[in-house]
Amino acid sequence: MVVVVDKNLPQTKVEKIIDELNKFGFDVHKSTGEKYIILGALGVQPGFDIRKVKMIEGVVDVFRITEPYKLASKRFKPDKTLVKIKDLTIGGEEIIVIAGPCAVENENQIMKLAEIVKKSGAKILRGGAFKPRTSPYSFQGLGEEGLKLLRKAGDEFGLSVITEIIEPSHFELIEKYTDIFQVGSRNMYNYPLLKLLGSSKKPVMLKRGMAATIDEWLMSAEYVLAGGNPNVILCERGIRTFETTLRNTFDLSAILSVKDKTHLPVCADPSHAIGYRDKIIPMARAAVAAGTDALMVEVHHDPDNALSDGPQALLPEQFEQMMKQIKAIAEIIGRKI
Amino acid sequence: MVVVVDKNLPQTKVEKIIDELNKFGFDVHKSTGEKYIILGALGVQPGFDIRKVKMIEGVVDVFRITEPYKLASKRFKPDKTLVKIKDLTIGGEEIIVIAGPCAVENENQIMKLAEIVKKSGAKILRGGAFKPRTSPYSFQGLGEEGLKLLRKAGDEFGLSVITEIIEPSHFELIEKYTDIFQVGSRNMYNYPLLKLLGSSKKPVMLKRGMAATIDEWLMSAEYVLAGGNPNVILCERGIRTFETTLRNTFDLSAILSVKDKTHLPVCADPSHAIGYRDKIIPMARAAVAAGTDALMVEVHHDPDNALSDGPQALLPEQFEQMMKQIKAIAEIIGRKI
Amino acid sequence: MVVVVDKNLPQTKVEKIIDELNKFGFDVHKSTGEKYIILGALGVQPGFDIRKVKMIEGVVDVFRITEPYKLASKRFKPDKTLVKIKDLTIGGEEIIVIAGPCAVENENQIMKLAEIVKKSGAKILRGGAFKPRTSPYSFQGLGEEGLKLLRKAGDEFGLSVITEIIEPSHFELIEKYTDIFQVGSRNMYNYPLLKLLGSSKKPVMLKRGMAATIDEWLMSAEYVLAGGNPNVILCERGIRTFETTLRNTFDLSAILSVKDKTHLPVCADPSHAIGYRDKIIPMARAAVAAGTDALMVEVHHDPDNALSDGPQALLPEQFEQMMKQIKAIAEIIGRKI
Amino acid sequence: MVVVVDKNLPQTKVEKIIDELNKFGFDVHKSTGEKYIILGALGVQPGFDIRKVKMIEGVVDVFRITEPYKLASKRFKPDKTLVKIKDLTIGGEEIIVIAGPCAVENENQIMKLAEIVKKSGAKILRGGAFKPRTSPYSFQGLGEEGLKLLRKAGDEFGLSVITEIIEPSHFELIEKYTDIFQVGSRNMYNYPLLKLLGSSKKPVMLKRGMAATIDEWLMSAEYVLAGGNPNVILCERGIRTFETTLRNTFDLSAILSVKDKTHLPVCADPSHAIGYRDKIIPMARAAVAAGTDALMVEVHHDPDNALSDGPQALLPEQFEQMMKQIKAIAEIIGRKI
């Protein structure tokens, strides 16, 4: 932590600030410039609230130097994390495509979609069984039946599967069926859930909260990592801004800026970011061109009758077209799909 | 729902749109203007996804007329909801002040603060026992011990108590001790938790999510109401914007705009919105002047050693001063504290 | 500027960083901690682009210590600026109320409104003659004729006047008639205009840009101050956020946070922030309760036929009621109206 | 405009609403549903303020059907606008690359950069002569000397040129030298400037304001179009959000959503959106993959000594690499560079 003090502050007051810093447990190094005294306060604990120092009389400004997270930080672990799911690796040269319906609706639907996405090159099948819906009157998912069908479809077509967890009490049930836990943006701050996922051996895909800063996102990853689970995949899925034409604002540059800070792999989800089918393909291409490690899209063969988020699901032929284009783009940037 | 169609669209296409609307279960009234055909689609279900209509070929624009919530709506229930906690009423003429520490730390602390806030006129004692902290390395609350101490302090000084619930599994435990459940902004979208609280007889204070629109906030209230619990108090506690000088941006006008739509009472929490002690008093005055039904502030007699959020806690003498000023302001606008 | 370097960086690379800093003209003080080396780089120029340092290899983080503005800063001039307009003072004990129509429409209108606002206690009359309208098809103002009428109404009723300037070529014309120049939020970044206003002896009310940070707002003030005009009043008028229920989000706490950094007085404009008449009074009360130095509201006796922004204009009787309430609130906080 | 009225509203009140609408000049069509009466109010003027109707007693909701702009709208002119600059076309199959320094600094610099960007395939040379700088103490551009050098460099290397205009009084001067006028994001709401540009025969590149909605952006384009100049190119350059890690949030999906509404071509400027050189290439690729019609990037051969925005300028070899990659991506999506 760096504490800036006005050079004209009486010596006794400067000493009082240093005293306070010592009381908070810091070692203080002082260097005096032309206008300011800079106090380097070393030994800050990750959970320390720097507002405590901002409010000491005579303090002009305070900056945190150490990041508030540790295990998620590139400074702590410079090598990229490779998340392995069976024979797949997320975070390596290959860009992994995750596809499937928003929600598992019935056996016929999920089997059909598994076949479709597999054929075009997806490696992981998505499908919700417990849905966090904005309206209490909307379809809330098939529950365990949905998990079984998802697993069956994955096994049948040689796809790993990912499904969302929305409350701690579902943990054991979902762990039995899924290969990857998905934590949705609405649960990015659900710390009891994240702690529990820290105890799993299965990877966790952590979506960014709708208005989460990069640091908050990594703090949530830290909850999982601190619990002993190193396999976290971050997922950008659109943020909330003043612009409301589309569902959210797809913050593609976050894929790049989060990688400046962390070793964890990053996925992009244009379906939730955009919300309208006709714009998903261009934004999927953009995500691959920007350098994502994985891509998640929703696909449905009968979106008009989908029980949730039909309007943002790609049609099978659109998915196929998308896959062709992003494969070609991946090659241009030295990666593969 | 109102569907706008271009007047020059071929008749067959217009009929196709009407067909689709009928298939979705709508009754359609058509009126033809100079440039547009307006289709009134009546009978929309609360959970209907209007993007399905936006994407029909030839549709220029779609507007939802019915609100996505029902029980929370003023159109459904025009009379103000009065939430009763023992002999207190939130939503009436009196503005209820809720005060206390961020977290219960030990018996001495909570007893002392209960005495202090009672003396200056608070009616409800706040104190967290389970804390949702951004960092896994920060103090996470005393758990049941904290609940017991909070209850004891409330009983001793004749104060009702409010405490936060952060996961469904704590429901029975917390219900035993608290008078009001608090749902923090990080859990506004935690639908499994909200459903559970719908089954309680105890009131729920629902804080607005950091980037939640007014409608999403009311949809979350709808989860509680739909479960059978009519006692919901909304709480504005600052939103996330581009402005980062303070902890959040206190959206005081939301107190007014949410009341245009709902019959539920509204509380304001300047402590979390602002984050710095020296600005809490002016913003508490502003909240009362703007017309809040309740006010929640954090108070601590030794904030430098508080285990969480010390920098935003008022000192006891500041709390006393605040109470004097807001009492006088309440009178000016025909209310009382 | 503080530059943070990893302690494990090879000595030669650290020296290279110091060399670069020297080349940029900085004096460097080095202090070595447990994990980081902190370089205090002294002598930063206000216009220096700190990204240049962020991008040097081995640099972990960079913080600016000196503010990017000087004349606007409280560190440079700790005493509050009192802006005098004839016998009025903005920034002192008295809270100055500025009222009038959005636009001057005709002689009858402005004379009538001047009389109304004067009677209830306003001290300054507002009225636009050149309007920056979002639509090219909207009423754009009466031009010089409007200025003459505004001046006449002000003189007749003993009110100072304020009007907006939207382009440099109007400078001399407007200066002839007005007592205060208003710079609207759309022109906060209009630096050629701000430079010109720096050459005037008349005060400038600088509205905050719709998405301007506190620092950018003060940088724009700096343009006026650097031109030799010390009489700048800042005006908060609502910011753009994800919340669109009202016209803007009224950032009342900005009144407090900007005063942490500057000596300039601050005005609040709830009319533009909120946009709907029925919510202006509560938010005007809130602004006074929060500590604004001046308050600007729109008033119209026939808002349905107003040529611009009628829906946000208070009716005369509402203005009178507002004045009574804010006078009483001002007294509670030791100020007067 | 569609006006929604409660079905239970007394008949006399409904008639009063219809009367008011008639007085505002609307033709009213009424259709009565189960819960609501829908009034289609036809003949709305582009500049009409719908808040006037929202505030009539008994009105539940109001929706604008006609867009607030006309000439910029796809509904008015369905065919894509092709902007021609000599033998170049923006908006066609070819994606035009615009490159050069942030500011023209001296003859050697601009000649060198013109040569570099030409060699790698840029078609238009950029370079500022009048710079809108946040700080009054920063380099403000070379003025006319800069324009002359830019023209000379363009002519020498067969490149068209673009430069920014920041105030109306520079109009004739800049028109003499430039091929395209650039309006920066800070001036998107500078209506006097836009009106003037409407009188020019030269194309205008209109950058989106930092917090401008899609509709506001098109309204600003409407100012130019309404003045008689049909050659407007829109440019997305990053918006302001809660996320501050990078300079702005690059809203790539705006390229798609603005094209839903307008026939005008769209450019993307990753340099200003991102602010850091190392992330420009991936975001340039993303912009091309997403479907931009033109791409503008900053290039500098000696960015450490650039007089403005050096940190976001690509090095010549980076520019060359970017061009190779985006050419290949353009082909994949059926376009060319």
Side-chain angles (χ1 to χ4, degrees):
Chain A
M1 192 172 56
V2 169
V3 182
V4 182
V5 177
D6 201 292
K7 208 196 154 182
N8 299 321
L9 199 71
Q11 179 60 14
T12 53
K13 289 206 171 169
V14 176
E15 268 155 30
K16 200 160 160 282
I17 293 170
I18 295 172
D19 266 12
E20 296 258 14
L21 291 170
N22 289 337
K23 265 193 272 172
F24 287 133
F26 297 107
D27 234 13
V28 181
H29 289 221
K30 177 177 154 187
S31 53
T32 304
E34 206 180 333
K35 286 190 182 162
Y36 297 107
I37 298 167
I38 295 170
L39 304 176
L42 307 167
V44 65
Q45 296 307 312
F48 183 77
D49 188 338
I50 67 162
R51 289 178 295 172
K52 290 189 182 182
V53 179
K54 274 194 192 176
M55 294 173 77
I56 303 174
E57 201 203 328
V59 167
V60 171
D61 226 332
V62 182
F63 305 100
R64 177 186 282 279
I65 288 175
T66 44
E67 292 163 329
Y69 40 86
K70 181 186 159 197
L71 304 174
S73 172
K74 219 173 169 173
R75 298 189 200 167
F76 174 77
K77 174 179 179 295
D79 294 339
K80 277 195 81 165
T81 288
L82 303 180
V83 174
K84 311 237 173 196
I85 302 113
K86 295 171 192 165
D87 55 340
L88 291 177
T89 302
I90 299 184
E93 187 196 350
E94 188 180 357
I95 300 167
I96 303 297
V97 176
I98 304 166
C102 181
V104 180
E105 297 169 9
N106 55 57
E107 181 163 352
N108 180 48
Q109 175 237 26
I110 192 68
M111 295 302 273
K112 192 158 192 168
L113 285 169
E115 187 177 2
I116 287 165
V117 304
K118 170 74 180 188
K119 202 184 64 184
S120 296
K123 296 290 167 63
I124 301 176
L125 179 67
R126 63 154 289 150
F130 298 95
K131 300 295 305 170
R133 303 302 300 274
T134 304
S135 168
Y137 311 119
S138 297
F139 173 62
Q140 311 267 324
L142 293 183
E144 185 170 5
E145 180 59 19
L147 295 174
K148 280 183 191 166
L149 296 174
L150 179 68
R151 182 75 265 165
K152 187 176 172 189
D155 289 347
E156 178 89 9
F157 293 98
L159 293 160
S160 288
V161 303
I162 180 170
T163 200
E164 184 167 357
I165 180 163
I166 63 171
E167 58 171 311
S169 68
H170 296 160
F171 176 63
E172 285 174 33
L173 177 66
I174 294 178
E175 199 182 36
K176 204 166 80 188
Y177 294 102
T178 200
D179 296 308
I180 311 177
F181 286 102
Q182 178 181 318
V183 178
S185 55
R186 289 180 183 81
N187 282 304
M188 195 205 81
Y189 300 112
N190 191 335
Y191 305 127
L193 183 63
L194 297 174
K195 277 183 197 172
L196 207 51
L197 294 171
S199 70
S200 177
K201 292 277 169 279
K202 297 203 167 169
V204 175
M205 174 173 288
L206 179 64
K207 288 197 167 186
R208 183 183 183 185
M210 241 178 284
T213 61
I214 299 287
D215 275 356
E216 286 175 343
W217 194 11
L218 290 175
M219 284 306 289
S220 286
E222 188 83 5
Y223 263 98
V224 180
L225 300 173
N229 185 345
N231 294 308
V232 175
I233 305 144
L234 301 167
C235 181
E236 160 63 29
R237 47 74 73 203
I239 56 171
R240 179 149 283 170
T241 70
F242 68 86
E243 178 53 59
T244 58
T245 312
L246 300 176
R247 186 167 177 173
N248 291 285
T249 299
F250 197 20
D251 183 10
L252 263 183
S253 60
I255 295 175
L256 306 175
S257 54
V258 77
K259 285 190 177 188
D260 277 350
K261 299 195 168 189
T262 191
H263 48 83
L264 298 169
V266 183
C267 178
D269 171 359
S271 301
H272 284 84
I274 302 298
Y276 294 91
R277 184 179 308 134
D278 63 318
K279 293 174 186 64
I280 306 297
I281 297 182
M283 295 315 288
R285 292 188 312 235
V288 169
T292 191
D293 295 311
L295 181 76
M296 179 149 79
V297 291
E298 292 185 1
V299 182
H300 204 291
H301 59 287
D302 183 15
D304 280 354
N305 294 305
L307 295 177
S308 81
D309 276 350
Q312 70 193 30
L314 291 175
L315 296 166
E317 57 272 25
Q318 290 179 311
F319 181 65
E320 197 187 341
Q321 185 204 345
M322 180 199 86
M323 288 299 288
K324 277 184 197 153
Q325 293 185 330
I326 63 173
K327 275 178 200 179
I329 292 173
E331 270 170 42
I332 291 168
I333 59 169
R335 299 187 76 167
K336 63 171 185 180
I337 289 179
Chain B
M1 191 171 56
V2 169
V3 182
V4 182
V5 176
D6 202 291
K7 205 194 157 183
N8 299 323
L9 200 71
Q11 180 60 15
T12 52
K13 288 205 172 171
V14 176
E15 269 155 30
K16 197 158 163 281
I17 294 170
I18 294 174
D19 267 11
E20 296 257 14
L21 290 169
N22 289 337
K23 266 192 273 173
F24 287 134
F26 298 107
D27 236 12
V28 180
H29 290 219
K30 177 176 154 189
S31 52
T32 304
E34 205 180 334
K35 286 190 183 163
Y36 297 107
I37 300 167
I38 295 172
L39 304 174
L42 306 166
V44 66
Q45 297 307 310
F48 184 76
D49 188 339
I50 67 164
R51 288 179 295 172
K52 290 188 183 182
V53 180
K54 273 193 195 178
M55 294 172 77
I56 302 175
E57 200 203 328
V59 168
V60 170
D61 226 331
V62 182
F63 306 101
R64 178 186 280 281
I65 287 175
T66 45
E67 291 163 328
Y69 40 86
K70 180 186 162 197
L71 305 173
S73 172
K74 220 172 167 172
R75 299 189 198 166
F76 174 77
K77 174 180 180 293
D79 295 337
K80 275 195 79 163
T81 287
L82 303 179
V83 174
K84 311 237 172 196
I85 302 114
K86 296 171 191 165
D87 54 341
L88 291 177
T89 301
I90 298 185
E93 187 197 349
E94 188 181 357
I95 300 167
I96 303 297
V97 175
I98 304 165
C102 181
V104 180
E105 295 169 12
N106 56 58
E107 180 162 354
N108 179 49
Q109 176 238 26
I110 192 68
M111 295 302 276
K112 192 159 193 167
L113 285 169
E115 187 178 3
I116 286 166
V117 304
K118 170 75 178 186
K119 205 185 63 184
S120 296
K123 296 290 166 64
I124 300 176
L125 179 66
R126 61 154 290 150
F130 296 94
K131 302 293 305 170
R133 304 301 300 276
T134 305
S135 168
Y137 311 118
S138 296
F139 173 63
Q140 311 267 324
L142 292 184
E144 185 169 7
E145 180 60 19
L147 295 174
K148 282 183 189 166
L149 295 175
L150 180 70
R151 182 76 266 165
K152 187 176 173 190
D155 289 348
E156 178 89 10
F157 293 98
L159 293 160
S160 287
V161 303
I162 181 171
T163 199
E164 183 167 358
I165 180 164
I166 62 170
E167 59 171 313
S169 68
H170 296 160
F171 176 64
E172 286 173 34
L173 177 66
I174 294 177
E175 199 181 33
K176 204 165 82 186
Y177 294 102
T178 199
D179 296 308
I180 311 177
F181 285 101
Q182 178 182 316
V183 177
S185 52
R186 288 180 185 80
N187 283 303
M188 196 205 82
Y189 300 112
N190 191 335
Y191 305 127
L193 183 63
L194 297 173
K195 278 184 195 171
L196 206 52
L197 294 171
S199 70
S200 178
K201 292 277 168 280
K202 298 204 166 169
V204 175
M205 174 173 287
L206 180 64
K207 289 197 167 185
R208 181 184 187 186
M210 241 178 282
T213 61
I214 299 287
D215 276 356
E216 286 174 344
W217 194 10
L218 290 174
M219 284 305 290
S220 286
E222 188 83 5
Y223 263 96
V224 180
L225 301 172
N229 185 345
N231 295 308
V232 175
I233 306 144
L234 301 167
C235 181
E236 160 63 29
R237 47 74 73 201
I239 56 172
R240 179 149 285 169
T241 70
F242 68 85
E243 179 52 61
T244 58
T245 312
L246 300 175
R247 186 166 176 174
N248 291 286
T249 299
F250 197 20
D251 182 10
L252 263 182
S253 59
I255 295 175
L256 306 174
S257 55
V258 78
K259 285 189 177 188
D260 278 351
K261 301 197 166 186
T262 192
H263 48 82
L264 298 169
V266 183
C267 178
D269 170 359
S271 302
H272 283 85
I274 302 299
Y276 294 90
R277 184 180 307 135
D278 62 319
K279 292 173 186 66
I280 306 297
I281 297 183
M283 294 317 287
R285 294 189 311 236
V288 169
T292 191
D293 295 310
L295 181 75
M296 177 149 78
V297 291
E298 292 186 0
V299 183
H300 205 291
H301 58 287
D302 183 15
D304 281 355
N305 295 306
L307 294 177
S308 80
D309 276 350
Q312 70 193 31
L314 291 175
L315 296 166
E317 57 272 23
Q318 289 179 311
F319 181 66
E320 197 188 341
Q321 185 204 344
M322 181 199 87
M323 288 300 288
K324 278 185 195 153
Q325 293 185 330
I326 64 172
K327 275 177 199 180
I329 292 173
E331 271 172 40
I332 291 168
I333 58 169
R335 299 187 76 168
K336 65 173 184 178
I337 289 177
Chain C
M1 191 172 58
V2 169
V3 181
V4 182
V5 177
D6 201 291
K7 207 195 154 184
N8 299 321
L9 200 72
Q11 180 59 16
T12 52
K13 288 205 172 169
V14 176
E15 267 155 31
K16 200 161 161 280
I17 294 170
I18 295 174
D19 267 11
E20 296 258 12
L21 291 169
N22 289 338
K23 267 193 271 172
F24 287 133
F26 298 108
D27 235 11
V28 181
H29 289 220
K30 176 177 156 188
S31 53
T32 304
E34 208 180 332
K35 287 191 183 160
Y36 297 107
I37 299 167
I38 295 170
L39 304 175
L42 307 167
V44 65
Q45 296 307 310
F48 183 76
D49 187 337
I50 67 163
R51 290 179 294 172
K52 289 188 181 182
V53 179
K54 274 195 192 175
M55 293 174 77
I56 302 175
E57 200 204 329
V59 168
V60 170
D61 227 332
V62 182
F63 306 101
R64 177 186 282 279
I65 288 175
T66 45
E67 291 162 327
Y69 40 87
K70 180 186 160 195
L71 304 173
S73 172
K74 222 174 168 172
R75 299 189 198 167
F76 174 77
K77 173 179 180 296
D79 295 339
K80 276 195 78 164
T81 287
L82 303 179
V83 173
K84 313 238 173 194
I85 302 114
K86 295 170 192 165
D87 54 341
L88 291 176
T89 301
I90 298 185
E93 187 196 350
E94 188 180 357
I95 299 167
I96 302 298
V97 176
I98 304 164
C102 181
V104 180
E105 297 169 9
N106 55 58
E107 179 161 356
N108 180 49
Q109 174 237 28
I110 192 68
M111 294 303 274
K112 193 161 192 167
L113 285 168
E115 187 177 4
I116 287 166
V117 305
K118 170 74 179 186
K119 202 185 64 183
S120 296
K123 297 289 168 64
I124 301 175
L125 179 67
R126 63 154 290 151
F130 297 95
K131 301 295 303 171
R133 303 302 299 276
T134 304
S135 167
Y137 311 118
S138 298
F139 173 61
Q140 312 267 324
L142 293 183
E144 183 168 8
E145 180 60 18
L147 295 174
K148 281 184 187 164
L149 295 174
L150 179 70
R151 182 75 264 164
K152 187 176 172 189
D155 289 347
E156 178 90 9
F157 294 98
L159 292 161
S160 288
V161 302
I162 180 171
T163 199
E164 184 167 356
I165 180 163
I166 63 171
E167 59 171 311
S169 67
H170 296 159
F171 176 64
E172 285 174 33
L173 177 66
I174 294 178
E175 200 182 36
K176 203 165 83 186
Y177 293 102
T178 199
D179 297 307
I180 311 177
F181 286 101
Q182 178 182 316
V183 177
S185 53
R186 289 180 185 79
N187 283 304
M188 196 204 82
Y189 300 111
N190 190 334
Y191 306 127
L193 183 63
L194 297 174
K195 278 184 195 172
L196 206 52
L197 295 171
S199 71
S200 177
K201 291 276 168 282
K202 299 204 165 170
V204 175
M205 174 172 288
L206 179 64
K207 290 199 167 186
R208 183 184 185 186
M210 242 178 280
T213 61
I214 299 288
D215 275 356
E216 285 175 344
W217 195 10
L218 291 175
M219 284 306 290
S220 285
E222 187 84 6
Y223 263 97
V224 180
L225 301 172
N229 184 346
N231 295 307
V232 175
I233 305 146
L234 301 167
C235 182
E236 161 61 31
R237 47 77 70 202
I239 57 171
R240 179 147 285 169
T241 69
F242 67 85
E243 178 53 59
T244 58
T245 312
L246 300 175
R247 185 165 177 173
N248 290 287
T249 299
F250 197 20
D251 183 11
L252 264 183
S253 59
I255 295 174
L256 306 174
S257 54
V258 77
K259 284 189 176 187
D260 278 352
K261 300 196 168 189
T262 191
H263 47 83
L264 298 169
V266 183
C267 179
D269 171 358
S271 302
H272 284 84
I274 302 298
Y276 294 90
R277 184 180 307 133
D278 63 320
K279 293 173 184 65
I280 307 297
I281 298 183
M283 294 316 288
R285 294 190 311 238
V288 169
T292 191
D293 295 311
L295 180 75
M296 178 148 79
V297 291
E298 292 185 0
V299 183
H300 205 290
H301 59 287
D302 182 16
D304 280 354
N305 295 306
L307 295 177
S308 81
D309 276 349
Q312 70 194 31
L314 291 174
L315 296 166
E317 57 272 24
Q318 290 179 311
F319 181 65
E320 197 187 341
Q321 184 204 345
M322 180 198 85
M323 288 301 286
K324 278 184 195 154
Q325 293 186 328
I326 63 172
K327 275 177 199 179
I329 293 173
E331 270 171 41
I332 291 168
I333 58 168
R335 301 187 74 166
K336 64 172 185 179
I337 288 176
Chain D
M1 190 173 54
V2 169
V3 181
V4 182
V5 176
D6 202 293
K7 206 194 155 182
N8 300 322
L9 200 72
Q11 180 60 16
T12 52
K13 288 205 173 170
V14 176
E15 269 156 29
K16 199 159 162 281
I17 293 171
I18 294 173
D19 268 11
E20 296 258 12
L21 290 170
N22 289 337
K23 264 192 275 172
F24 287 133
F26 297 107
D27 235 12
V28 180
H29 290 220
K30 177 177 154 189
S31 53
T32 304
E34 206 180 334
K35 286 189 182 164
Y36 297 106
I37 299 167
I38 295 172
L39 304 175
L42 306 167
V44 67
Q45 296 307 311
F48 184 75
D49 188 338
I50 68 163
R51 289 179 296 172
K52 290 188 181 181
V53 180
K54 274 193 193 177
M55 294 173 78
I56 302 175
E57 200 202 329
V59 169
V60 171
D61 227 331
V62 182
F63 305 101
R64 177 187 282 280
I65 288 175
T66 44
E67 291 162 329
Y69 39 86
K70 180 185 161 197
L71 305 174
S73 172
K74 220 172 167 173
R75 299 189 199 166
F76 175 77
K77 173 179 180 295
D79 294 337
K80 278 196 77 165
T81 288
L82 303 180
V83 174
K84 312 235 174 197
I85 302 114
K86 297 171 191 165
D87 54 342
L88 291 176
T89 302
I90 298 185
E93 185 197 351
E94 187 181 357
I95 300 167
I96 303 297
V97 175
I98 304 165
C102 181
V104 179
E105 298 170 9
N106 55 58
E107 180 163 355
N108 180 49
Q109 175 238 25
I110 192 67
M111 295 302 274
K112 193 161 193 165
L113 285 168
E115 186 177 4
I116 287 167
V117 304
K118 169 75 178 185
K119 203 184 63 185
S120 297
K123 296 290 167 65
I124 301 175
L125 178 67
R126 62 154 289 151
F130 296 95
K131 301 294 304 171
R133 304 302 300 275
T134 305
S135 167
Y137 310 119
S138 297
F139 172 62
Q140 312 267 324
L142 293 184
E144 184 169 5
E145 179 60 19
L147 296 173
K148 281 184 190 166
L149 295 175
L150 179 69
R151 184 75 266 165
K152 187 175 172 190
D155 289 347
E156 177 90 10
F157 293 97
L159 293 160
S160 288
V161 303
I162 181 170
T163 199
E164 184 168 357
I165 179 163
I166 61 171
E167 59 170 312
S169 68
H170 296 160
F171 176 65
E172 285 174 34
L173 177 65
I174 294 178
E175 199 182 34
K176 204 166 80 187
Y177 295 102
T178 200
D179 297 307
I180 311 176
F181 284 102
Q182 178 182 318
V183 177
S185 53
R186 289 181 183 80
N187 283 304
M188 195 206 81
Y189 300 112
N190 190 334
Y191 306 127
L193 182 63
L194 298 173
K195 278 184 197 171
L196 207 52
L197 294 172
S199 70
S200 177
K201 293 274 169 284
K202 297 205 167 169
V204 174
M205 174 173 287
L206 179 63
K207 290 198 167 187
R208 183 183 185 186
M210 243 178 283
T213 61
I214 298 288
D215 275 356
E216 287 176 343
W217 194 11
L218 290 175
M219 284 305 289
S220 285
E222 188 82 5
Y223 264 98
V224 180
L225 300 173
N229 184 346
N231 295 307
V232 175
I233 305 144
L234 301 167
C235 181
E236 159 64 29
R237 48 73 74 201
I239 57 172
R240 180 149 284 170
T241 70
F242 68 86
E243 178 53 59
T244 58
T245 312
L246 300 176
R247 186 167 176 171
N248 291 287
T249 299
F250 196 20
D251 183 10
L252 263 184
S253 59
I255 294 174
L256 305 175
S257 54
V258 79
K259 284 190 178 186
D260 278 351
K261 301 194 167 190
T262 192
H263 48 82
L264 298 169
V266 183
C267 178
D269 171 358
S271 301
H272 283 84
I274 302 298
Y276 294 90
R277 183 180 309 135
D278 62 320
K279 293 175 185 64
I280 306 298
I281 297 182
M283 295 315 289
R285 292 188 312 234
V288 169
T292 191
D293 295 311
L295 180 76
M296 178 149 77
V297 291
E298 292 185 2
V299 182
H300 205 291
H301 58 287
D302 182 15
D304 282 354
N305 295 306
L307 294 176
S308 81
D309 277 348
Q312 70 193 30
L314 291 175
L315 297 167
E317 57 272 23
Q318 290 179 310
F319 180 67
E320 197 187 342
Q321 185 205 344
M322 181 198 86
M323 289 299 287
K324 278 184 195 154
Q325 293 186 329
I326 64 172
K327 275 178 198 178
I329 293 173
E331 270 171 41
I332 291 169
I333 58 169
R335 299 187 76 167
K336 65 172 185 178
I337 287 176

